mmCIF file of all heavy atoms in Angstrom:
data_model
loop_
_atom_site.group_PDB
_atom_site.id
_atom_site.type_symbol
_atom_site.label_atom_id
_atom_site.label_comp_id
_atom_site.label_asym_id
_atom_site.label_seq_id
_atom_site.Cartn_x
_atom_site.Cartn_y
_atom_site.Cartn_z
ATOM 1 N N PRO A 1477 27.151 111.630 117.709
ATOM 2 C CA PRO A 1477 28.506 111.175 117.294
ATOM 3 C C PRO A 1477 28.770 111.355 115.774
ATOM 4 O O PRO A 1477 29.852 111.704 115.357
ATOM 5 C CB PRO A 1477 28.514 109.668 117.664
ATOM 6 C CG PRO A 1477 27.578 109.562 118.800
ATOM 7 C CD PRO A 1477 26.470 110.576 118.467
ATOM 8 N N ARG A 1478 27.732 111.057 114.964
ATOM 9 C CA ARG A 1478 27.910 111.212 113.500
ATOM 10 C C ARG A 1478 28.139 112.660 113.126
ATOM 11 O O ARG A 1478 28.912 112.978 112.210
ATOM 12 C CB ARG A 1478 26.649 110.659 112.789
ATOM 13 C CG ARG A 1478 26.754 110.700 111.303
ATOM 14 C CD ARG A 1478 27.780 109.686 110.810
ATOM 15 N NE ARG A 1478 27.799 109.727 109.355
ATOM 16 C CZ ARG A 1478 28.882 109.507 108.613
ATOM 17 N NH1 ARG A 1478 30.022 109.177 109.164
ATOM 18 N NH2 ARG A 1478 28.781 109.585 107.299
ATOM 19 N N MET A 1479 27.472 113.623 113.832
ATOM 20 C CA MET A 1479 27.690 115.035 113.606
ATOM 21 C C MET A 1479 29.140 115.372 114.003
ATOM 22 O O MET A 1479 29.764 116.190 113.309
ATOM 23 C CB MET A 1479 26.686 115.868 114.336
ATOM 24 C CG MET A 1479 26.791 117.330 114.074
ATOM 25 S SD MET A 1479 26.587 117.825 112.324
ATOM 26 C CE MET A 1479 24.896 117.459 112.107
ATOM 27 N N ALA A 1480 29.595 114.813 115.087
ATOM 28 C CA ALA A 1480 30.990 115.049 115.535
ATOM 29 C C ALA A 1480 31.946 114.637 114.471
ATOM 30 O O ALA A 1480 32.906 115.332 114.119
ATOM 31 C CB ALA A 1480 31.269 114.379 116.839
ATOM 32 N N GLN A 1481 31.683 113.442 113.911
ATOM 33 C CA GLN A 1481 32.583 112.945 112.885
ATOM 34 C C GLN A 1481 32.552 113.839 111.634
ATOM 35 O O GLN A 1481 33.590 114.157 111.047
ATOM 36 C CB GLN A 1481 32.150 111.513 112.468
ATOM 37 C CG GLN A 1481 33.066 110.929 111.400
ATOM 38 C CD GLN A 1481 32.632 109.502 111.032
ATOM 39 O OE1 GLN A 1481 31.588 109.014 111.459
ATOM 40 N NE2 GLN A 1481 33.502 108.850 110.240
ATOM 41 N N ARG A 1482 31.353 114.205 111.182
ATOM 42 C CA ARG A 1482 31.265 115.074 109.983
ATOM 43 C C ARG A 1482 31.940 116.416 110.168
ATOM 44 O O ARG A 1482 32.643 116.882 109.258
ATOM 45 C CB ARG A 1482 29.795 115.288 109.613
ATOM 46 C CG ARG A 1482 29.131 114.044 109.072
ATOM 47 C CD ARG A 1482 27.650 114.306 108.744
ATOM 48 N NE ARG A 1482 27.028 113.114 108.235
ATOM 49 C CZ ARG A 1482 25.744 112.871 108.291
ATOM 50 N NH1 ARG A 1482 24.943 113.789 108.821
ATOM 51 N NH2 ARG A 1482 25.264 111.768 107.793
ATOM 52 N N ARG A 1483 31.726 117.037 111.313
ATOM 53 C CA ARG A 1483 32.347 118.290 111.538
ATOM 54 C C ARG A 1483 33.872 118.183 111.631
ATOM 55 O O ARG A 1483 34.598 119.044 111.129
ATOM 56 C CB ARG A 1483 31.796 118.971 112.827
ATOM 57 C CG ARG A 1483 30.379 119.483 112.669
ATOM 58 C CD ARG A 1483 29.890 120.133 113.852
ATOM 59 N NE ARG A 1483 28.489 120.507 113.709
ATOM 60 C CZ ARG A 1483 27.768 121.062 114.635
ATOM 61 N NH1 ARG A 1483 28.265 121.303 115.858
ATOM 62 N NH2 ARG A 1483 26.511 121.427 114.383
ATOM 63 N N CYS A 1484 34.364 117.121 112.302
ATOM 64 C CA CYS A 1484 35.817 116.928 112.399
ATOM 65 C C CYS A 1484 36.386 116.661 111.000
ATOM 66 O O CYS A 1484 37.414 117.237 110.671
ATOM 67 C CB CYS A 1484 36.083 115.799 113.369
ATOM 68 S SG CYS A 1484 37.824 115.559 113.662
ATOM 69 N N ASP A 1485 35.732 115.789 110.241
ATOM 70 C CA ASP A 1485 36.272 115.465 108.910
ATOM 71 C C ASP A 1485 36.314 116.726 108.047
ATOM 72 O O ASP A 1485 37.302 116.926 107.338
ATOM 73 C CB ASP A 1485 35.386 114.393 108.248
ATOM 74 C CG ASP A 1485 35.564 113.010 108.883
ATOM 75 O OD1 ASP A 1485 36.533 112.793 109.638
ATOM 76 O OD2 ASP A 1485 34.726 112.139 108.573
ATOM 77 N N ALA A 1486 35.257 117.517 108.100
ATOM 78 C CA ALA A 1486 35.273 118.744 107.305
ATOM 79 C C ALA A 1486 36.355 119.737 107.742
ATOM 80 O O ALA A 1486 36.991 120.379 106.908
ATOM 81 C CB ALA A 1486 33.867 119.440 107.424
ATOM 82 N N THR A 1487 36.599 119.828 109.061
ATOM 83 C CA THR A 1487 37.628 120.673 109.535
ATOM 84 C C THR A 1487 38.988 120.205 109.164
ATOM 85 O O THR A 1487 39.840 120.999 108.713
ATOM 86 C CB THR A 1487 37.520 120.804 111.120
ATOM 87 O OG1 THR A 1487 36.199 121.268 111.422
ATOM 88 C CG2 THR A 1487 38.543 121.758 111.660
ATOM 89 N N VAL A 1488 39.212 118.941 109.284
ATOM 90 C CA VAL A 1488 40.536 118.335 108.891
ATOM 91 C C VAL A 1488 40.748 118.544 107.379
ATOM 92 O O VAL A 1488 41.857 118.923 106.946
ATOM 93 C CB VAL A 1488 40.639 116.863 109.298
ATOM 94 C CG1 VAL A 1488 41.856 116.199 108.649
ATOM 95 C CG2 VAL A 1488 40.703 116.704 110.804
ATOM 96 N N HIS A 1489 39.725 118.349 106.607
ATOM 97 C CA HIS A 1489 39.822 118.591 105.160
ATOM 98 C C HIS A 1489 40.191 120.037 104.853
ATOM 99 O O HIS A 1489 41.073 120.308 104.042
ATOM 100 C CB HIS A 1489 38.488 118.205 104.456
ATOM 101 C CG HIS A 1489 38.529 118.394 103.018
ATOM 102 N ND1 HIS A 1489 39.209 117.606 102.118
ATOM 103 C CD2 HIS A 1489 37.957 119.359 102.248
ATOM 104 C CE1 HIS A 1489 39.047 118.006 100.896
ATOM 105 N NE2 HIS A 1489 38.306 119.094 100.957
ATOM 106 N N ALA A 1490 39.553 120.957 105.546
ATOM 107 C CA ALA A 1490 39.840 122.392 105.332
ATOM 108 C C ALA A 1490 41.294 122.702 105.765
ATOM 109 O O ALA A 1490 41.984 123.493 105.072
ATOM 110 C CB ALA A 1490 38.845 123.241 106.066
ATOM 111 N N LEU A 1491 41.724 122.109 106.857
ATOM 112 C CA LEU A 1491 43.104 122.312 107.342
ATOM 113 C C LEU A 1491 44.116 121.742 106.365
ATOM 114 O O LEU A 1491 45.140 122.352 106.089
ATOM 115 C CB LEU A 1491 43.288 121.713 108.718
ATOM 116 C CG LEU A 1491 42.586 122.454 109.868
ATOM 117 C CD1 LEU A 1491 42.671 121.651 111.164
ATOM 118 C CD2 LEU A 1491 43.260 123.852 110.093
ATOM 119 N N ARG A 1492 43.818 120.578 105.785
ATOM 120 C CA ARG A 1492 44.694 119.994 104.809
ATOM 121 C C ARG A 1492 44.827 120.865 103.558
ATOM 122 O O ARG A 1492 45.936 121.130 103.064
ATOM 123 C CB ARG A 1492 44.168 118.594 104.349
ATOM 124 C CG ARG A 1492 44.546 117.537 105.289
ATOM 125 C CD ARG A 1492 44.221 116.141 104.642
ATOM 126 N NE ARG A 1492 44.519 115.133 105.594
ATOM 127 C CZ ARG A 1492 43.635 114.233 106.017
ATOM 128 N NH1 ARG A 1492 42.404 114.259 105.518
ATOM 129 N NH2 ARG A 1492 43.942 113.321 106.901
ATOM 130 N N GLN A 1493 43.715 121.404 103.106
ATOM 131 C CA GLN A 1493 43.749 122.296 101.937
ATOM 132 C C GLN A 1493 44.534 123.517 102.244
ATOM 133 O O GLN A 1493 45.346 124.019 101.414
ATOM 134 C CB GLN A 1493 42.344 122.647 101.466
ATOM 135 C CG GLN A 1493 41.615 121.536 100.840
ATOM 136 C CD GLN A 1493 40.226 121.872 100.387
ATOM 137 O OE1 GLN A 1493 39.541 122.686 101.014
ATOM 138 N NE2 GLN A 1493 39.823 121.357 99.266
ATOM 139 N N ALA A 1494 44.303 124.159 103.417
ATOM 140 C CA ALA A 1494 45.060 125.334 103.809
ATOM 141 C C ALA A 1494 46.522 125.068 103.916
ATOM 142 O O ALA A 1494 47.392 125.849 103.526
ATOM 143 C CB ALA A 1494 44.518 125.893 105.145
ATOM 144 N N THR A 1495 46.883 123.865 104.472
ATOM 145 C CA THR A 1495 48.307 123.492 104.578
ATOM 146 C C THR A 1495 48.932 123.359 103.205
ATOM 147 O O THR A 1495 50.061 123.768 102.998
ATOM 148 C CB THR A 1495 48.446 122.162 105.347
ATOM 149 O OG1 THR A 1495 47.808 122.354 106.659
ATOM 150 C CG2 THR A 1495 49.866 121.715 105.513
ATOM 151 N N GLU A 1496 48.199 122.737 102.259
ATOM 152 C CA GLU A 1496 48.760 122.583 100.885
ATOM 153 C C GLU A 1496 49.000 123.927 100.260
ATOM 154 O O GLU A 1496 50.048 124.128 99.577
ATOM 155 C CB GLU A 1496 47.805 121.726 100.046
ATOM 156 C CG GLU A 1496 47.780 120.261 100.466
ATOM 157 C CD GLU A 1496 46.710 119.481 99.717
ATOM 158 O OE1 GLU A 1496 46.106 119.959 98.759
ATOM 159 O OE2 GLU A 1496 46.501 118.304 100.145
ATOM 160 N N ARG A 1497 48.057 124.875 100.453
ATOM 161 C CA ARG A 1497 48.241 126.224 99.944
ATOM 162 C C ARG A 1497 49.450 126.889 100.574
ATOM 163 O O ARG A 1497 50.241 127.566 99.901
ATOM 164 C CB ARG A 1497 46.994 127.040 100.079
ATOM 165 C CG ARG A 1497 45.826 126.618 99.196
ATOM 166 C CD ARG A 1497 44.698 127.640 99.224
ATOM 167 N NE ARG A 1497 44.177 127.866 100.568
ATOM 168 C CZ ARG A 1497 43.185 127.119 101.110
ATOM 169 N NH1 ARG A 1497 42.605 126.144 100.432
ATOM 170 N NH2 ARG A 1497 42.758 127.439 102.355
ATOM 171 N N TRP A 1498 49.590 126.712 101.903
ATOM 172 C CA TRP A 1498 50.728 127.354 102.615
ATOM 173 C C TRP A 1498 52.058 126.759 102.128
ATOM 174 O O TRP A 1498 52.982 127.488 101.898
ATOM 175 C CB TRP A 1498 50.514 127.091 104.109
ATOM 176 C CG TRP A 1498 51.577 127.757 104.937
ATOM 177 C CD1 TRP A 1498 51.609 129.034 105.371
ATOM 178 C CD2 TRP A 1498 52.742 127.120 105.458
ATOM 179 N NE1 TRP A 1498 52.745 129.290 106.124
ATOM 180 C CE2 TRP A 1498 53.448 128.095 106.220
ATOM 181 C CE3 TRP A 1498 53.313 125.831 105.424
ATOM 182 C CZ2 TRP A 1498 54.653 127.812 106.853
ATOM 183 C CZ3 TRP A 1498 54.458 125.568 106.031
ATOM 184 C CH2 TRP A 1498 55.126 126.535 106.754
ATOM 185 N N ARG A 1499 52.088 125.425 101.931
ATOM 186 C CA ARG A 1499 53.310 124.819 101.472
ATOM 187 C C ARG A 1499 53.678 125.254 100.075
ATOM 188 O O ARG A 1499 54.813 125.531 99.754
ATOM 189 C CB ARG A 1499 53.135 123.260 101.420
ATOM 190 C CG ARG A 1499 53.216 122.611 102.788
ATOM 191 C CD ARG A 1499 53.001 121.119 102.663
ATOM 192 N NE ARG A 1499 53.051 120.490 103.964
ATOM 193 C CZ ARG A 1499 52.483 119.289 104.218
ATOM 194 N NH1 ARG A 1499 51.859 118.656 103.269
ATOM 195 N NH2 ARG A 1499 52.648 118.781 105.377
ATOM 196 N N ALA A 1500 52.654 125.405 99.172
ATOM 197 C CA ALA A 1500 52.925 125.864 97.817
ATOM 198 C C ALA A 1500 53.460 127.277 97.867
ATOM 199 O O ALA A 1500 54.389 127.606 97.081
ATOM 200 C CB ALA A 1500 51.613 125.757 97.013
ATOM 201 N N ALA A 1501 52.880 128.139 98.721
ATOM 202 C CA ALA A 1501 53.352 129.471 98.776
ATOM 203 C C ALA A 1501 54.814 129.510 99.305
ATOM 204 O O ALA A 1501 55.644 130.279 98.811
ATOM 205 C CB ALA A 1501 52.483 130.354 99.712
ATOM 206 N N ARG A 1502 55.127 128.684 100.296
ATOM 207 C CA ARG A 1502 56.509 128.635 100.845
ATOM 208 C C ARG A 1502 57.454 128.126 99.761
ATOM 209 O O ARG A 1502 58.582 128.659 99.644
ATOM 210 C CB ARG A 1502 56.544 127.673 102.044
ATOM 211 C CG ARG A 1502 55.832 128.104 103.285
ATOM 212 C CD ARG A 1502 56.625 129.048 104.104
ATOM 213 N NE ARG A 1502 57.805 128.392 104.532
ATOM 214 C CZ ARG A 1502 58.721 128.949 105.280
ATOM 215 N NH1 ARG A 1502 58.568 130.160 105.753
ATOM 216 N NH2 ARG A 1502 59.813 128.335 105.649
ATOM 217 N N GLU A 1503 57.085 127.106 99.019
ATOM 218 C CA GLU A 1503 57.925 126.585 97.920
ATOM 219 C C GLU A 1503 58.205 127.631 96.859
ATOM 220 O O GLU A 1503 59.259 127.704 96.329
ATOM 221 C CB GLU A 1503 57.354 125.311 97.356
ATOM 222 C CG GLU A 1503 57.423 124.171 98.289
ATOM 223 C CD GLU A 1503 56.703 122.892 97.789
ATOM 224 O OE1 GLU A 1503 56.316 122.891 96.606
ATOM 225 O OE2 GLU A 1503 56.555 121.977 98.596
ATOM 226 N N ALA A 1504 57.196 128.415 96.565
ATOM 227 C CA ALA A 1504 57.331 129.497 95.571
ATOM 228 C C ALA A 1504 58.334 130.569 96.032
ATOM 229 O O ALA A 1504 58.941 131.169 95.248
ATOM 230 C CB ALA A 1504 55.983 130.073 95.243
ATOM 231 N N LEU A 1505 58.416 130.782 97.326
ATOM 232 C CA LEU A 1505 59.253 131.806 97.895
ATOM 233 C C LEU A 1505 60.710 131.308 98.122
ATOM 234 O O LEU A 1505 61.633 132.091 98.127
ATOM 235 C CB LEU A 1505 58.756 132.304 99.229
ATOM 236 C CG LEU A 1505 57.460 133.093 99.166
ATOM 237 C CD1 LEU A 1505 57.005 133.437 100.645
ATOM 238 C CD2 LEU A 1505 57.662 134.382 98.388
#
């Protein structure tokens, strides 16, 4: 279960960062 949590947290973190980059690119356009 702890590994499930760590992998999920890391994935959500990566998705948040990608979303922020995507939003910034959209705002720039």
Side-chain angles (χ1 to χ4, degrees):
R1478 183 69 178 148
M1479 183 60 69
Q1481 181 180 8
R1482 287 179 181 157
R1483 287 183 183 176
C1484 185
D1485 288 348
T1487 303
V1488 168
H1489 179 74
L1491 287 169
R1492 277 192 185 121
Q1493 289 181 322
T1495 302
E1496 289 172 11
R1497 288 190 302 271
W1498 183 83
R1499 285 178 180 158
R1502 293 277 299 181
E1503 289 174 11
L1505 292 176

